[in-house]
Amino acid sequence: SLHLLYGSGSNQHNQLLLDRPNNAACLIDGEDAHETKEIVLCTAKQTEPDLPENIYAGGGHSGLLTASGKLYLWGWNDNGQCGPATESKEQDEAPPLPCVTPLAGLVVQDAALGFSHTLVIEKDTSRLYGFGSNERGQVSGLLSAAVEEPVTPDFLKDVKVKRVAAGLFHSAVVTEKGELITFGCGRFGQSLSNIQTDGQVCVGKWMPEDGSPLVDVACGRRHTAAVDEKGRIWTFGENKYGQLGRPFEGKKDPVPTEIDSSELDIPIGSDLRLDCGWSHNIVQVTSQDSDTSQDSDIRIYGWGRNDKGQLGTGSFEDSMKKPIRLFQDKRLSFVACGSESTMALAEDTSAILGCGWNEHGNIATGSQEDQAHLTKTLGSKVYGPPGLHDGKVILAVGGGHHIAAMKPLRS
């Protein structure tokens, strides 16, 4: 079976599946792709169509989740972050297309790809599993060598998880009870430490004092952000670039504290989706139009580091220390953070746009120049498989690459 994917940027670890002598993009020796290229993911033959459900991008690996819960992972695998039985066995001659097998033993609901580790939520049990680099305890909560088989941290064995996020060296989940649990590196205050800490691994849990359940979480390089049921955004960790989004003069703050929301306009009942780059943040606020139940209004806010143009303000200012409204001249349906870039989908055309760091061509503008404005990508347009007439583009942005696919719309 073949899945049509699209992407650009670094292919150093074959995260774009283009490290083959006969690839259609004509890349050689891990060469970067500076425009959007067509990618074909080859999997075992399916008796029934198993179409894309979600897509993921990490530090140097990528993933595709299908409707049946199969998770395909490929790319950088030095620490086992692609999981067991992902790569097909080497053959005497390279196959005409790279063949990837799904993660063994797990039916997956959702996943998060960190710099060099992977976290997944099992579909039927809502149980968390992790694998990959564990040098800071970001997989198991305890220091160890790389974890090649999926494991559940001891403190999460009886916990149902509904949201998961992976940073550089730390991890975070939101439980079904609305608690935030973090584990891994806490050197910059990015992981809580009220359950355990040995100086290298920090494990902790938290809820707002008023008991408002948390509904979403995102991890940056050295900070963490979470949203509660009331629409409040909380941050903790490093603040070198203003990524905590609130008045704070120190370089790090390990205490979850609400951001400066003076510039935020969040109507009651809005849906908030949060994402973090290494040192910048984006929040997407979706609210229903008061005049119709069909239309929705989407507003984008951002704060944090901007010296690469990652906030798309039109300048390369060092940082924004509190949230500001972004992209008001664009109608966007989705926005996501890369390490030091931001990418978005146009609401009407599903065109992909990007701004920020572009050293590897990761925002597909045809060059390696950083972009201070959201700029439309060049190269291939995203299409679905033959016969799919009603779909939407899904997009993931990683360390130095992005990847996209077409997901079928279901009634």
Side-chain angles (χ1 to χ4, degrees), residues 205-249:
K205 78 167 65 171
W206 176 80
M207 281 184 76
E209 287 187 4
D210 62 7
S212 178
L214 297 162
V215 296
D216 198 11
V217 64
C219 292
R221 184 185 184 190
R222 295 171 174 172
H223 76 290
T224 303
V227 179
D228 70 18
E229 199 172 60
K230 295 182 178 180
R232 297 174 299 185
I233 302 170
W234 306 80
T235 59
F236 53 99
E238 187 185 56
N239 196 44
K240 183 178 180 181
Y241 302 101
Q243 60 262 53
L244 297 187
R246 50 185 166 86
F248 185 79
E249 295 304 320

Short mmCIF file of all heavy atoms in Angstrom, two decimals, residues 205-249:
data_model
loop_
_atom_site.label_atom_id
_atom_site.label_comp_id
_atom_site.label_asym_id
_atom_site.label_seq_id
_atom_site.Cartn_x
_atom_site.Cartn_y
_atom_site.Cartn_z
N LYS A 205 3.37 16.60 39.42
CA LYS A 205 2.00 16.77 38.93
C LYS A 205 1.46 18.09 39.45
O LYS A 205 1.90 18.61 40.49
CB LYS A 205 1.11 15.60 39.32
CG LYS A 205 0.64 15.61 40.75
CD LYS A 205 -0.49 14.62 40.99
CE LYS A 205 -0.06 13.18 40.81
NZ LYS A 205 -1.13 12.24 41.28
N TRP A 206 0.44 18.61 38.74
CA TRP A 206 -0.10 19.93 39.10
C TRP A 206 -1.48 20.12 38.51
O TRP A 206 -1.79 19.61 37.42
CB TRP A 206 0.84 21.02 38.59
CG TRP A 206 0.35 22.42 38.83
CD1 TRP A 206 0.43 23.14 39.99
CD2 TRP A 206 -0.30 23.26 37.87
NE1 TRP A 206 -0.13 24.38 39.81
CE2 TRP A 206 -0.59 24.48 38.53
CE3 TRP A 206 -0.67 23.10 36.55
CZ2 TRP A 206 -1.23 25.54 37.89
CZ3 TRP A 206 -1.31 24.15 35.91
CH2 TRP A 206 -1.57 25.35 36.57
N MET A 207 -2.31 20.87 39.25
CA MET A 207 -3.57 21.41 38.75
C MET A 207 -3.69 22.82 39.30
O MET A 207 -3.12 23.14 40.35
CB MET A 207 -4.77 20.59 39.22
CG MET A 207 -5.01 19.32 38.46
SD MET A 207 -6.53 18.48 39.02
CE MET A 207 -7.78 19.51 38.25
N PRO A 208 -4.42 23.71 38.64
CA PRO A 208 -4.66 25.03 39.20
C PRO A 208 -5.33 24.92 40.58
O PRO A 208 -6.06 23.96 40.85
CB PRO A 208 -5.61 25.68 38.18
CG PRO A 208 -5.32 24.97 36.90
CD PRO A 208 -5.00 23.57 37.28
N GLU A 209 -5.06 25.91 41.42
CA GLU A 209 -5.58 25.86 42.79
C GLU A 209 -7.09 25.79 42.84
O GLU A 209 -7.67 25.22 43.77
CB GLU A 209 -5.09 27.09 43.58
CG GLU A 209 -3.61 27.03 43.94
CD GLU A 209 -3.19 28.17 44.85
OE1 GLU A 209 -4.08 28.96 45.25
OE2 GLU A 209 -2.00 28.26 45.15
N ASP A 210 -7.77 26.37 41.85
CA ASP A 210 -9.24 26.34 41.87
C ASP A 210 -9.81 25.05 41.30
O ASP A 210 -11.03 24.89 41.19
CB ASP A 210 -9.82 27.55 41.12
CG ASP A 210 -9.43 27.58 39.64
OD1 ASP A 210 -8.81 26.61 39.16
OD2 ASP A 210 -9.74 28.58 38.97
N GLY A 211 -8.93 24.11 40.95
CA GLY A 211 -9.37 22.80 40.50
C GLY A 211 -9.81 22.72 39.05
O GLY A 211 -10.31 21.67 38.61
N SER A 212 -9.62 23.77 38.27
CA SER A 212 -10.02 23.74 36.87
C SER A 212 -9.18 22.71 36.12
O SER A 212 -7.95 22.79 36.09
CB SER A 212 -9.82 25.12 36.24
OG SER A 212 -10.16 25.09 34.87
N PRO A 213 -9.81 21.71 35.50
CA PRO A 213 -9.04 20.67 34.81
C PRO A 213 -8.24 21.24 33.64
O PRO A 213 -8.70 22.14 32.95
CB PRO A 213 -10.12 19.70 34.32
CG PRO A 213 -11.33 20.01 35.12
CD PRO A 213 -11.26 21.47 35.43
N LEU A 214 -7.07 20.68 33.42
CA LEU A 214 -6.26 21.04 32.26
C LEU A 214 -6.75 20.26 31.05
O LEU A 214 -7.21 19.11 31.17
CB LEU A 214 -4.79 20.76 32.54
CG LEU A 214 -4.23 21.62 33.69
CD1 LEU A 214 -2.95 21.03 34.23
CD2 LEU A 214 -4.01 23.05 33.24
N VAL A 215 -6.67 20.88 29.88
CA VAL A 215 -7.20 20.25 28.67
C VAL A 215 -6.17 20.10 27.56
O VAL A 215 -6.38 19.35 26.61
CB VAL A 215 -8.42 21.04 28.13
CG1 VAL A 215 -9.56 21.00 29.12
CG2 VAL A 215 -8.05 22.49 27.79
N ASP A 216 -5.03 20.80 27.66
CA ASP A 216 -4.02 20.70 26.61
C ASP A 216 -2.66 21.05 27.19
O ASP A 216 -2.56 21.77 28.19
CB ASP A 216 -4.35 21.64 25.44
CG ASP A 216 -3.61 21.28 24.16
OD1 ASP A 216 -3.00 20.18 24.10
OD2 ASP A 216 -3.63 22.09 23.21
N VAL A 217 -1.61 20.54 26.57
CA VAL A 217 -0.24 20.82 27.01
C VAL A 217 0.69 20.80 25.80
O VAL A 217 0.44 20.11 24.82
CB VAL A 217 0.22 19.79 28.07
CG1 VAL A 217 0.31 18.38 27.48
CG2 VAL A 217 1.56 20.19 28.69
N ALA A 218 1.74 21.60 25.87
CA ALA A 218 2.78 21.62 24.83
C ALA A 218 4.13 21.81 25.50
O ALA A 218 4.23 22.47 26.54
CB ALA A 218 2.51 22.74 23.83
N CYS A 219 5.16 21.26 24.90
CA CYS A 219 6.52 21.35 25.44
C CYS A 219 7.43 22.08 24.46
O CYS A 219 7.45 21.75 23.25
CB CYS A 219 7.11 19.96 25.70
SG CYS A 219 6.32 19.03 27.01
N GLY A 220 8.19 23.04 24.95
CA GLY A 220 9.24 23.66 24.18
C GLY A 220 10.56 22.99 24.47
O GLY A 220 10.61 21.88 25.02
N ARG A 221 11.63 23.66 24.11
CA ARG A 221 12.95 23.11 24.38
C ARG A 221 13.22 23.05 25.88
O ARG A 221 13.67 22.04 26.40
CB ARG A 221 14.02 23.98 23.69
CG ARG A 221 15.43 23.45 23.83
CD ARG A 221 16.43 24.43 23.22
NE ARG A 221 17.79 23.89 23.26
CZ ARG A 221 18.87 24.60 22.98
NH1 ARG A 221 18.75 25.89 22.64
NH2 ARG A 221 20.06 24.05 23.01
N ARG A 222 12.89 24.15 26.57
CA ARG A 222 13.18 24.23 28.00
C ARG A 222 12.02 24.86 28.77
O ARG A 222 12.21 25.43 29.82
CB ARG A 222 14.46 25.06 28.24
CG ARG A 222 15.71 24.42 27.67
CD ARG A 222 16.89 25.39 27.76
NE ARG A 222 18.14 24.76 27.36
CZ ARG A 222 19.29 25.43 27.20
NH1 ARG A 222 19.32 26.75 27.38
NH2 ARG A 222 20.39 24.78 26.84
N HIS A 223 10.81 24.79 28.22
CA HIS A 223 9.65 25.31 28.94
C HIS A 223 8.43 24.47 28.60
O HIS A 223 8.44 23.66 27.66
CB HIS A 223 9.41 26.79 28.62
CG HIS A 223 8.79 27.06 27.28
ND1 HIS A 223 9.46 26.88 26.09
CD2 HIS A 223 7.55 27.48 26.94
CE1 HIS A 223 8.69 27.20 25.08
NE2 HIS A 223 7.50 27.57 25.57
N THR A 224 7.38 24.65 29.40
CA THR A 224 6.14 23.90 29.23
C THR A 224 4.97 24.87 29.33
O THR A 224 5.02 25.83 30.11
CB THR A 224 6.01 22.82 30.31
OG1 THR A 224 7.16 21.96 30.25
CG2 THR A 224 4.76 21.97 30.12
N ALA A 225 3.93 24.64 28.55
CA ALA A 225 2.73 25.47 28.58
C ALA A 225 1.50 24.57 28.61
O ALA A 225 1.49 23.50 27.99
CB ALA A 225 2.68 26.39 27.36
N ALA A 226 0.48 25.00 29.34
CA ALA A 226 -0.75 24.20 29.46
C ALA A 226 -1.96 25.12 29.46
O ALA A 226 -1.88 26.30 29.82
CB ALA A 226 -0.71 23.37 30.74
N VAL A 227 -3.10 24.57 29.03
CA VAL A 227 -4.36 25.30 28.99
C VAL A 227 -5.36 24.59 29.90
O VAL A 227 -5.44 23.36 29.88
CB VAL A 227 -4.93 25.35 27.56
CG1 VAL A 227 -6.26 26.10 27.53
CG2 VAL A 227 -3.95 25.99 26.60
N ASP A 228 -6.13 25.37 30.67
CA ASP A 228 -7.15 24.75 31.51
C ASP A 228 -8.54 24.95 30.91
O ASP A 228 -8.71 25.61 29.88
CB ASP A 228 -7.07 25.23 32.96
CG ASP A 228 -7.48 26.68 33.16
OD1 ASP A 228 -8.15 27.26 32.28
OD2 ASP A 228 -7.15 27.25 34.22
N GLU A 229 -9.52 24.35 31.56
CA GLU A 229 -10.89 24.34 31.05
C GLU A 229 -11.48 25.74 30.94
O GLU A 229 -12.40 25.98 30.15
CB GLU A 229 -11.74 23.48 31.97
CG GLU A 229 -13.03 22.99 31.39
CD GLU A 229 -13.71 21.99 32.31
OE1 GLU A 229 -14.02 22.35 33.46
OE2 GLU A 229 -13.90 20.84 31.88
N LYS A 230 -10.96 26.68 31.72
CA LYS A 230 -11.45 28.06 31.70
C LYS A 230 -10.78 28.90 30.62
O LYS A 230 -11.06 30.09 30.50
CB LYS A 230 -11.26 28.71 33.06
CG LYS A 230 -12.08 28.08 34.18
CD LYS A 230 -11.87 28.81 35.50
CE LYS A 230 -12.73 28.20 36.61
NZ LYS A 230 -12.53 28.90 37.91
N GLY A 231 -9.87 28.30 29.85
CA GLY A 231 -9.18 29.03 28.80
C GLY A 231 -7.97 29.79 29.28
O GLY A 231 -7.41 30.60 28.53
N ARG A 232 -7.53 29.54 30.50
CA ARG A 232 -6.32 30.18 31.01
C ARG A 232 -5.09 29.40 30.55
O ARG A 232 -5.11 28.17 30.48
CB ARG A 232 -6.35 30.26 32.53
CG ARG A 232 -7.50 31.11 33.07
CD ARG A 232 -7.58 31.05 34.59
NE ARG A 232 -7.81 29.68 35.06
CZ ARG A 232 -8.02 29.37 36.33
NH1 ARG A 232 -8.01 30.31 37.27
NH2 ARG A 232 -8.24 28.12 36.69
N ILE A 233 -4.01 30.12 30.24
CA ILE A 233 -2.78 29.50 29.78
C ILE A 233 -1.72 29.67 30.87
O ILE A 233 -1.50 30.78 31.37
CB ILE A 233 -2.30 30.13 28.46
CG1 ILE A 233 -3.38 29.99 27.39
CG2 ILE A 233 -0.99 29.49 28.00
CD1 ILE A 233 -3.11 30.79 26.13
N TRP A 234 -1.07 28.57 31.22
CA TRP A 234 -0.08 28.54 32.30
C TRP A 234 1.27 28.13 31.71
O TRP A 234 1.34 27.25 30.85
CB TRP A 234 -0.49 27.55 33.37
CG TRP A 234 -1.87 27.76 33.92
CD1 TRP A 234 -3.05 27.37 33.34
CD2 TRP A 234 -2.22 28.41 35.14
NE1 TRP A 234 -4.11 27.75 34.12
CE2 TRP A 234 -3.65 28.38 35.24
CE3 TRP A 234 -1.50 29.01 36.17
CZ2 TRP A 234 -4.33 28.92 36.32
CZ3 TRP A 234 -2.17 29.54 37.25
CH2 TRP A 234 -3.58 29.50 37.32
N THR A 235 2.35 28.74 32.19
CA THR A 235 3.68 28.41 31.69
C THR A 235 4.67 28.26 32.83
O THR A 235 4.50 28.84 33.91
CB THR A 235 4.20 29.51 30.74
OG1 THR A 235 4.24 30.76 31.44
CG2 THR A 235 3.33 29.63 29.50
N PHE A 236 5.73 27.50 32.58
CA PHE A 236 6.84 27.39 33.53
C PHE A 236 8.07 26.89 32.79
O PHE A 236 7.96 26.28 31.72
CB PHE A 236 6.49 26.49 34.72
CG PHE A 236 5.97 25.12 34.36
CD1 PHE A 236 6.79 24.01 34.38
CD2 PHE A 236 4.63 24.94 34.02
CE1 PHE A 236 6.31 22.74 34.08
CE2 PHE A 236 4.12 23.68 33.70
CZ PHE A 236 4.96 22.58 33.73
N GLY A 237 9.24 27.18 33.36
CA GLY A 237 10.50 26.78 32.73
C GLY A 237 11.37 27.98 32.41
O GLY A 237 11.31 29.01 33.09
N GLU A 238 12.16 27.87 31.35
CA GLU A 238 13.08 28.93 30.97
C GLU A 238 12.33 30.14 30.42
O GLU A 238 11.30 30.00 29.77
CB GLU A 238 14.07 28.41 29.91
CG GLU A 238 15.16 29.42 29.58
CD GLU A 238 16.06 28.96 28.45
OE1 GLU A 238 15.55 28.68 27.36
OE2 GLU A 238 17.27 28.88 28.66
N ASN A 239 12.90 31.33 30.69
CA ASN A 239 12.27 32.56 30.21
C ASN A 239 13.27 33.47 29.50
O ASN A 239 13.06 34.67 29.39
CB ASN A 239 11.63 33.31 31.38
CG ASN A 239 10.66 34.38 30.92
OD1 ASN A 239 9.86 34.15 30.03
ND2 ASN A 239 10.75 35.56 31.53
N LYS A 240 14.35 32.89 28.98
CA LYS A 240 15.41 33.69 28.37
C LYS A 240 14.90 34.56 27.23
O LYS A 240 15.40 35.66 27.00
CB LYS A 240 16.52 32.75 27.86
CG LYS A 240 17.71 33.46 27.26
CD LYS A 240 18.78 32.44 26.84
CE LYS A 240 19.99 33.14 26.23
NZ LYS A 240 21.02 32.15 25.80
N TYR A 241 13.90 34.08 26.51
CA TYR A 241 13.38 34.80 25.34
C TYR A 241 11.93 35.26 25.55
O TYR A 241 11.22 35.51 24.58
CB TYR A 241 13.47 33.92 24.10
CG TYR A 241 14.88 33.47 23.79
CD1 TYR A 241 15.30 32.19 24.13
CD2 TYR A 241 15.79 34.33 23.18
CE1 TYR A 241 16.59 31.77 23.86
CE2 TYR A 241 17.08 33.92 22.90
CZ TYR A 241 17.48 32.64 23.25
OH TYR A 241 18.76 32.23 22.98
N GLY A 242 11.51 35.33 26.80
CA GLY A 242 10.14 35.75 27.08
C GLY A 242 9.11 34.68 26.78
O GLY A 242 7.91 34.97 26.66
N GLN A 243 9.56 33.42 26.67
CA GLN A 243 8.63 32.36 26.27
C GLN A 243 7.60 32.01 27.34
O GLN A 243 6.64 31.29 27.05
CB GLN A 243 9.39 31.10 25.83
CG GLN A 243 10.30 30.47 26.86
CD GLN A 243 11.75 30.87 26.70
OE1 GLN A 243 12.06 32.05 26.63
NE2 GLN A 243 12.64 29.90 26.62
N LEU A 244 7.77 32.54 28.56
CA LEU A 244 6.75 32.31 29.58
C LEU A 244 5.57 33.27 29.42
O LEU A 244 4.52 33.07 30.04
CB LEU A 244 7.34 32.45 30.98
CG LEU A 244 8.43 31.41 31.35
CD1 LEU A 244 8.81 31.55 32.82
CD2 LEU A 244 7.97 29.98 31.05
N GLY A 245 5.74 34.32 28.62
CA GLY A 245 4.62 35.18 28.27
C GLY A 245 4.02 35.96 29.42
O GLY A 245 2.82 36.26 29.40
N ARG A 246 4.83 36.35 30.38
CA ARG A 246 4.33 37.07 31.56
C ARG A 246 5.47 37.83 32.21
O ARG A 246 6.65 37.53 31.97
CB ARG A 246 3.72 36.09 32.56
CG ARG A 246 4.61 34.87 32.90
CD ARG A 246 3.86 33.91 33.79
NE ARG A 246 4.48 32.60 33.91
CZ ARG A 246 5.43 32.27 34.77
NH1 ARG A 246 5.92 33.21 35.59
NH2 ARG A 246 5.92 31.05 34.83
N PRO A 247 5.12 38.82 33.04
CA PRO A 247 6.17 39.59 33.71
C PRO A 247 6.99 38.70 34.63
O PRO A 247 6.47 38.11 35.58
CB PRO A 247 5.39 40.63 34.52
CG PRO A 247 4.06 40.71 33.86
CD PRO A 247 3.78 39.35 33.34
N PHE A 248 8.26 38.55 34.31
CA PHE A 248 9.15 37.75 35.14
C PHE A 248 10.57 38.10 34.74
O PHE A 248 10.95 37.91 33.59
CB PHE A 248 8.88 36.25 34.94
CG PHE A 248 9.69 35.38 35.87
CD1 PHE A 248 9.31 35.20 37.19
CD2 PHE A 248 10.85 34.75 35.43
CE1 PHE A 248 10.06 34.40 38.04
CE2 PHE A 248 11.60 33.96 36.27
CZ PHE A 248 11.20 33.78 37.58
N GLU A 249 11.34 38.59 35.66
CA GLU A 249 12.68 39.10 35.33
C GLU A 249 13.75 38.01 35.33
O GLU A 249 14.80 38.16 34.74
CB GLU A 249 13.06 40.22 36.31
CG GLU A 249 12.18 41.46 36.19
CD GLU A 249 12.16 42.03 34.78
OE1 GLU A 249 13.22 42.04 34.13
OE2 GLU A 249 11.07 42.44 34.33
#
